[in-house]
Amino acid sequence: MEGFTLILSLLSGVALFLYGMSLMGDGLKKAAGEKLELILYRLTNTPLKGILLGTAVTAIIQSSSATTVMVVGFVNAGMMKVSQAIGIIMGANIGTSITGWILCLSYIEGTGGIAQLLSTATISAVVAVIGIIFKMFLKKASYHNVGDIMLGFSILMTGMQMMSSAVSPLKSNAHFVNALTMFSNPFMGIVVGILFTAVLQSASASVGILQALSVTGGITFAAALPITMGIGVGAACPVLLSSIGTNKNGRRTALIYLLNDLFGMLFWSVVFYSVNAFVHFSFMGVGMNPVWIALMNTVFRMATILVLSPFIKFIEKLVFMLVKDSEEDREDQADFDLLEERFLAYPPLAIAQSRQAMDGMANKVRKNIRSSLGLLWEYSEETYHKVQEKENLIDKYEDKLGSYLLLLTGREMTAAQNTEVSKFLHTLSDFERLGDHASNISKVANELNEKKITFTKEGQYELSVLESAVSEIVDITIEAFQEDDNQTALRVEPLRVLIGILCDELKMRHIKRLQHGKCELKQGFAFNDLLANLERIGAHCSNVAVAMIELAYSEFDTHDYLKKVRERNNTSFEEYFEEYEEKYDINGYKKIKKSKKEDDAAKSKKNKEDVKIKKQGVPERKQKKRK
């Protein structure tokens, strides 16, 4: 029974410790607002700055995993390069060791005077009282965040004290002491450190528990060192989990965290234990205390980063070898490599490079729209994530091309060159918005899949007709843009008008189905979201086509474009509209049903006539006999 109480007390201390650390870290991040994020991806132009920055930020938020997860997010969003992330992650490994030194305060004991004032109970109580005052009685959100920091610190210290109290009786337990001595086997110690930290999801928590165990006097240097080595590797578990669903650069960044600690563990294991085999260090059997554990953890991490920092370029190459780029990834990067600033001095060359990059962006947009529409009929998690990944890439195209084209406008160019650059600038945002709507459609498809929502057969048929029309308008628009074909661009507006009419008609039909109980509200919301996004795709395609046509006439008026397009080629507009109206007829389902009913009625009538004929052909005597 006593053992059960001890274990329960230890687990309670661990729970309070983890909660306090989480509360303190969240409060620190909220108090800093977005400043931490801005600092992280702006001040990393050299490896040394990255290491110092990672150390400082992690020391503040008390979690190397949290820092690395943020960095994974920045790299995934394209705000930071993999090479910049390496320095920050190395610094995060050092910064997380600060927690061990903070925990040393919980072991200050005394019975009177200054020692009593510096005891854990006194510090925790004072900080908790100040924290609750900030949290409960002050109105500003910033004060609430400071209150969370103080309460988190107090809970953390209380948890640490509970863990220490729980394991304190184990000092005189011979079985426990014997169990700890087996960890002097370096391999077993490393495995224990990895598994323990992977379960707790926190290197700081593992070090804290190791410090608590050290008060028993049973933890020697020989046992503590391999556990400490394993703790760093185990801490990579939450970071690797955070990279699930990210792009390849995000996964590479998470892998860097693992490789740093893995290389450090392997290097120092080989070096230290090889030297010890010959020298036989006398301090291997020395008993550890919380301060010595904190010192060893810090020294080990600093020594690891000191050894690895000259090899940042090698680590970058290694993660790119482990997570390889596909042919498509290389094509994407090739588009960005086209936008070299040195070409700006030669506008014709810079425009040609921009044209090629714009074509690449248009192809990505078309592919993403096709993929998102395909998800409506055959959902796939892999395709869904690819659509989101491509959407981030399309945003990156807009950012890089927009910046490049604006720099190009400051150069001296001919009238034709100015027109070409203007066309790119006018159409760039529309291509980006097309990518946004593709992403929105994929999210609707995701919702339909998760909630098991299906449309009626009539609704599915109508949606498939509208989808075909939208796919065609995207194809026409991109073909016209890439071929610089204004005649093809004239076909866009008539189809856009028809898509608008189809969307309005489909909304009305869907409302009727809702009124007659054929559909439910959950279907209605999803259906309307799809129609809104499909209609906006048509509108942005129209914007691209109109920009081409209007700029060809050396004028541009977005508010008057529809009237002008119709006036310039009224006959063509009507011809194209009638062609598309016939091609995308949403009444086809009713015609199919009507035709099926007519066929069924004809078959039924024929069957009846056949029966009648057969009866008439049977002799009267046999008919009577049957009766």
Side-chain angles (χ1 to χ4, degrees):
M1 190 65 183
E2 185 180 347
F4 176 76
T5 305
L6 186 147
I7 293 171
L8 191 62
S9 180
L10 177 63
L11 292 176
S12 298
V14 172
L16 286 175
F17 175 83
L18 290 172
Y19 176 69
M21 189 166 64
S22 174
L23 185 63
M24 185 171 68
D26 289 343
L28 284 160
K29 282 186 277 188
K30 288 177 183 177
E34 296 181 355
K35 292 177 183 177
L36 280 177
E37 297 181 358
L38 291 170
I39 290 170
L40 271 175
Y41 74 82
R42 282 183 179 174
L43 302 180
T44 54
N45 55 344
T46 66
L48 180 59
K49 284 184 181 179
I51 292 171
L52 293 174
L53 189 61
T55 303
V57 171
T58 308
I60 291 170
I61 65 175
Q62 296 294 298
S63 174
S64 60
S65 298
T67 303
T68 307
V69 167
M70 273 196 288
V71 173
V72 169
F74 295 143
V75 175
N76 185 59
M79 294 188 295
M80 183 184 290
K81 294 180 180 179
V82 174
S83 57
Q84 292 175 288
I86 297 174
I88 295 178
I89 293 170
M90 286 182 168
N93 273 288
I94 299 173
T96 192
S97 67
I98 302 300
T99 308
W101 291 103
I102 295 173
L103 296 178
C104 290
L105 294 173
S106 64
Y107 298 98
I108 297 175
E109 300 294 342
T111 56
I114 295 175
Q116 179 67 31
L117 291 175
L118 293 175
S119 68
T120 304
T122 305
I123 293 172
S124 298
V126 171
V127 173
V129 169
I130 297 172
I132 203 67
I133 291 171
F134 274 63
K135 183 76 174 173
M136 301 297 294
F137 300 105
L138 300 179
K139 294 182 179 179
K140 284 187 178 181
S142 57
Y143 291 142
H144 290 182
N145 294 332
V146 173
D148 284 339
I149 296 168
M150 292 183 170
L151 289 171
F153 176 80
S154 180
I155 294 169
L156 181 148
M157 298 294 283
T158 303
M160 196 68 229
Q161 193 176 27
M162 283 183 67
M163 286 192 290
S164 299
S165 300
V167 300
S168 185
L170 296 175
K171 292 179 183 179
S172 55
N173 189 306
H175 296 293
F176 179 76
V177 172
N178 290 334
L180 286 178
T181 55
M182 80 173 185
F183 294 150
S184 58
N185 179 329
F187 178 76
M188 284 298 299
I190 289 169
V191 171
V192 167
I194 292 172
L195 295 177
F196 202 54
T197 311
V199 172
L200 290 177
Q201 301 268 299
S202 171
S204 298
S206 297
V207 171
I209 292 172
L210 187 62
Q211 286 177 295
L213 290 172
S214 70
V215 300
T216 64
I219 300 287
T220 63
F221 183 89
L225 179 61
I227 293 174
T228 304
M229 289 179 177
I231 284 172
V233 178
C237 186
V239 178
L240 293 172
L241 289 174
S242 75
S243 68
I244 296 173
T246 63
N247 59 27
K248 289 183 179 179
N249 279 336
R251 295 197 292 275
R252 288 174 182 132
T253 306
L255 193 58
I256 288 166
Y257 188 92
L258 173 64
L259 291 176
N260 276 342
D261 287 296
L262 190 61
F263 287 150
M265 180 197 75
L266 292 172
F267 178 81
W268 290 116
S269 296
V270 172
V271 171
F272 182 84
Y273 289 108
S274 295
V275 173
N276 183 54
F278 295 99
V279 177
H280 302 294
F281 295 124
S282 59
F283 53 78
M284 296 294 283
V286 173
M288 302 293 282
N289 59 42
V291 175
W292 284 110
I293 294 286
L295 179 62
M296 182 180 67
N297 185 40
T298 301
V299 170
F300 168 70
R301 290 176 179 275
M302 290 183 71
T304 299
I305 301 309
L306 192 64
V307 169
L308 292 178
S309 56
F311 301 100
I312 285 178
K313 291 292 183 184
F314 172 78
I315 294 172
E316 183 183 2
K317 288 180 181 178
L318 180 60
V319 293
F320 273 88
M321 286 171 60
L322 294 173
V323 183
K324 294 181 180 179
D325 281 325
S326 64
E327 187 63 35
E328 191 175 3
D329 294 326
R330 285 190 285 272
E331 286 178 11
D332 297 340
Q333 189 57 47
D335 283 341
F336 297 136
D337 291 341
L338 294 170
L339 307 176
E340 286 282 351
E341 287 195 22
R342 66 176 184 270
F343 296 147
L344 292 171
Y346 310 96
L349 181 57
I351 291 171
Q353 300 291 87
S354 300
R355 155 65 74 179
Q356 197 171 335
M358 285 287 293
D359 289 348
M361 180 185 187
N363 287 330
K364 302 297 183 301
V365 168
R366 173 163 46 189
K367 186 174 181 179
N368 232 28
I369 290 174
R370 285 176 179 171
S371 297
S372 63
L373 291 174
L375 287 171
L376 296 173
W377 311 107
E378 188 176 346
Y379 186 80
S380 161
E381 280 293 331
E382 183 182 355
T383 304
Y384 172 75
H385 288 300
K386 281 185 178 179
V387 170
Q388 307 311 316
E389 189 176 321
K390 287 297 177 189
E391 164 55 16
N392 292 331
L393 180 65
I394 291 166
D395 289 342
K396 193 174 177 181
Y397 267 100
E398 185 195 30
D399 179 53
K400 289 189 173 293
L401 274 164
S403 301
Y404 193 75
L405 291 169
L406 286 174
L407 290 172
L408 189 54
T409 56
R411 303 286 175 164
E412 187 176 344
M413 293 183 288
T414 65
Q417 289 168 350
N418 274 314
T419 300
E420 189 79 352
V421 172
S422 295
K423 180 169 66 177
F424 293 161
L425 287 169
H426 275 107
T427 55
L428 185 61
S429 60
D430 286 299
F431 280 129
E432 189 276 331
R433 291 296 295 148
L434 285 170
D436 288 342
H437 290 298
S439 175
N440 293 343
I441 291 170
S442 72
K443 289 174 183 176
V444 175
N446 177 259
E447 181 184 357
L448 293 174
N449 179 68
E450 288 183 350
K451 297 181 179 179
K452 308 297 181 186
I453 299 172
T454 55
F455 301 126
T456 62
K457 288 185 178 179
E458 188 174 354
Q460 288 177 12
Y461 177 82
E462 292 167 353
L463 196 59
S464 68
V465 173
L466 179 59
E467 178 193 318
S468 298
V470 170
S471 295
E472 181 164 352
I473 199 173
V474 171
D475 288 340
I476 292 171
T477 303
I478 291 175
E479 180 188 342
F481 179 81
Q482 292 181 338
E483 300 297 327
D484 204 14
D485 186 349
N486 289 335
Q487 192 60 41
T488 302
L490 286 170
R491 300 183 69 93
V492 174
E493 184 56 32
L495 185 51
R496 197 280 305 171
V497 173
L498 178 65
I499 288 171
I501 293 170
L502 289 177
C503 287
D504 291 339
E505 178 65 21
L506 262 57
K507 286 176 187 176
M508 295 304 298
R509 292 188 180 197
H510 197 68
I511 290 169
K512 287 180 182 178
R513 286 196 289 271
L514 285 169
Q515 291 172 342
H516 289 90
K518 293 181 180 179
C519 292
E520 299 176 6
L521 279 175
K522 62 181 182 180
Q523 294 169 313
F525 290 133
F527 198 77
N528 282 333
D529 282 346
L530 285 174
L531 294 182
N533 281 290
L534 292 171
E535 188 172 12
R536 292 309 302 160
I537 286 175
H540 286 293
C541 285
S542 176
N543 289 347
V544 172
V546 168
M548 293 175 60
I549 295 166
E550 293 296 295
L551 287 168
Y553 286 90
S554 301
E555 54 188 59
F556 195 84
D557 185 352
T558 55
H559 298 289
D560 203 30
Y561 76 86
L562 178 57
K563 180 181 176 183
K564 288 184 176 181
V565 169
R566 286 182 171 179
E567 285 177 354
R568 282 203 180 121
N569 209 321
N570 192 47
T571 306
S572 296
F573 184 93
E574 296 299 334
E575 286 177 359
Y576 293 146
F577 183 82
E578 289 173 7
E579 176 191 332
Y580 291 129
E581 190 176 30
E582 184 178 352
K583 185 176 182 180
Y584 300 111
D585 181 10
I586 55 173
N587 294 313
Y589 185 77
K590 292 183 178 179
K591 291 177 182 178
I592 292 168
K593 288 182 72 177
K594 184 179 178 182
S595 176
K596 190 175 184 302
K597 285 180 180 179
E598 288 173 351
D599 289 344
D600 290 343
K603 286 179 182 178
S604 178
K605 185 179 179 182
K606 188 175 184 301
N607 289 337
K608 287 178 180 178
E609 288 175 352
D610 288 344
V611 171
K612 188 176 179 181
I613 290 168
K614 284 181 180 179
K615 283 183 177 180
Q616 288 174 349
V618 176
E620 188 177 345
R621 186 174 67 255
K622 288 187 177 180
Q623 288 187 34
K624 285 180 180 179
K625 190 177 180 181
R626 286 177 182 176
K627 289 178 182 178

